[in-house]
Amino acid sequence: MERWEVINAVQRMQDYISENINSTVTLGDLARAAGYSQWHSARIFKELTGKSPFEYLRALRLSKAAIQLRDNRTKIVDVAFDFVFDSHEGFTRAFNRQFGMSPKRYSENPGPIQLFMPHRIRDYYLTLQKGENKMSEKKSTNTVFVQVVERPARKLIMKRGLKASHYFEYCEEVGCDVWGVLSSIREAMYEPAGMWLPGRLIKPGTSRYIQGVEVPGDYAGEVPEGFEIIDLEPCKMMVFQGEPYEDENFGEAIEELWDVIKKYNPQLYGFQWAEEAAPAFQLEPQGYRGYIEARPVRQLNEGI
């Protein structure tokens, strides 16, 4: 129980930072959110996140500022003040240290950079716990929305793992920073995703599970170091979307949707699974929209 009290305290500090990202945040504020002394709050925060509260806050502010510079015609000085930097000069120095370039240079040519995209610490430990315990009996069946969408010819910027078959194995092999780089790619057609590659796209000695983002077929921008880019053919994807859920219940939401997909017969609706046509993908679990996963399909009258 004591361990979960610490995890929940750090989660409250994460939530406070997220809710007050454009305001002044003091260690006293975070300590009050955590319910511990300032010293103890700072210690447990760094223990669980790997960063001190203010290292975390600064990295998050700079990443959100970078997204604003990438997507909007905004004055650098306005962005600096939006994210509580005292001056244009201070913001420029911090941005340069974080990303290796000035905010002016980045706003003029926003290539891929390593954004800081922290995960909720409570979700992480809940997932670890679920790996140790059996799920309880389901008391009800939630509604799942299913639709088929067309994906055009496109490219995939991705980073391979070694043997990973799911997210946590991938993070152990590659690290958890890939998402931040993928999220910084302005030309992305859709949001970044975890993906399971078809056999024909798996290189010897690399993993089936990868993380990537799809970009237009004529993409000529930068490919981040350590990543690669491949072509994807047009395809149809059957998208499954579960009901909204409380964030702490994301493990159950994923397993429930997997159970639906496992039992689903696409032939009843004129389709068949087409595993080699394209990568299957999962979007980042976000409770407000329900868990979303997609598998490639082919219309029955299209042939094999």
Side-chain angles (χ1 to χ4, degrees):
M1 178 63 71
E2 181 180 350
R3 183 62 170 168
W4 276 102
E5 289 175 358
V6 169
I7 292 167
N8 288 332
V10 173
Q11 184 61 68
R12 290 194 295 273
M13 286 189 277
Q14 277 190 308
D15 292 342
Y16 186 90
I17 288 172
S18 179
E19 292 163 4
N20 295 277
I21 196 71
N22 301 110
S23 304
T24 300
V25 176
T26 68
L27 187 55
D29 295 329
L30 296 178
R32 283 188 288 276
Y36 291 109
S37 70
Q38 293 187 24
W39 178 86
H40 189 62
S41 297
R43 186 181 68 82
I44 62 175
F45 191 94
K46 185 163 187 177
E47 177 187 338
L48 267 62
T49 69
K51 292 182 182 291
S52 73
F54 291 107
E55 289 171 340
Y56 179 103
L57 176 60
R58 173 158 289 205
L60 187 58
R61 280 176 170 162
L62 287 168
S63 293
K64 289 184 176 295
I67 292 173
Q68 190 164 317
L69 289 172
R70 183 194 69 185
D71 295 342
N72 302 307
R73 293 184 176 275
T74 308
K75 291 182 179 179
I76 293 171
V77 67
D78 292 339
V79 174
F81 291 139
D82 283 348
F83 291 98
V84 203
F85 286 86
D86 292 335
S87 67
H88 180 287
E89 292 75 18
F91 173 66
T92 296
R93 287 194 299 270
F95 195 97
N96 210 346
R97 284 196 299 268
Q98 184 80 9
F99 301 118
M101 68 182 75
S102 69
K104 183 176 188 299
R105 178 183 163 195
Y106 178 72
S107 65
E108 292 171 349
N109 184 26
I113 57 175
Q114 180 65 68
L115 296 177
F116 178 55
M117 307 283 286
H119 296 285
R120 289 169 53 85
I121 200 70
R122 180 175 169 80
D123 291 351
Y124 173 76
Y125 281 98
L126 281 169
T127 300
L128 293 184
Q129 184 183 63
K130 291 177 193 307
E132 301 170 356
N133 300 316
K134 296 282 187 182
M135 278 189 63
S136 59
E137 290 288 326
K138 295 184 179 67
K139 296 181 179 179
S140 62
T141 301
N142 290 328
T143 301
V144 174
F145 177 67
V146 183
Q147 64 174 327
V148 175
V149 299
E150 298 276 353
R151 284 286 216 248
R154 62 219 184 275
K155 293 182 184 291
L156 173 66
I157 297 176
M158 65 173 176
K159 190 164 191 176
R160 299 180 189 269
L162 300 174
K163 299 179 180 179
S165 60
H166 59 73
Y167 171 80
F168 283 103
E169 289 180 348
Y170 181 84
C171 280
E172 288 178 2
E173 294 176 359
V174 179
C176 296
D177 296 332
V178 175
W179 207 262
V181 176
L182 297 172
S183 298
S184 76
I185 297 175
R186 180 173 58 175
E187 296 85 351
M189 299 170 65
Y190 316 104
E191 64 187 275
M195 299 182 178
W196 293 271
L197 295 175
R200 64 186 176 84
L201 296 180
I202 301 174
K203 291 182 177 180
T206 65
S207 61
R208 180 173 177 240
Y209 186 89
I210 59 98
Q211 288 184 354
V213 69
E214 294 176 358
V215 294
D218 61 355
Y219 178 79
E222 181 182 348
V223 177
E225 184 178 356
F227 290 69
E228 65 181 278
I229 187 166
I230 62 173
D231 292 306
L232 296 179
E233 299 174 355
C235 69
K236 292 181 174 64
M237 300 295 297
M238 185 169 282
V239 181
F240 296 81
Q241 181 173 7
E243 289 184 355
Y245 57 88
E246 295 297 324
D247 285 331
E248 62 267 25
N249 297 329
F250 77 101
E252 289 95 333
I254 292 173
E255 292 195 39
E256 287 175 4
L257 195 68
W258 281 351
D259 189 52
V260 169
I261 295 173
K262 182 178 178 180
K263 297 174 181 177
Y264 195 85
N265 182 3
Q267 294 185 9
L268 296 175
Y269 305 95
F271 295 92
Q272 60 185 3
W273 300 126
E275 294 181 358
E276 288 299 307
F281 66 79
Q282 61 177 174
L283 300 185
E284 181 181 13
Q286 296 184 14
Y288 76 91
R289 67 182 181 184
Y291 175 62
I292 300 172
E293 191 166 307
R295 306 286 175 88
V297 292
R298 178 183 293 110
Q299 284 186 308
L300 288 174
N301 58 10
E302 288 182 355
I304 303 297

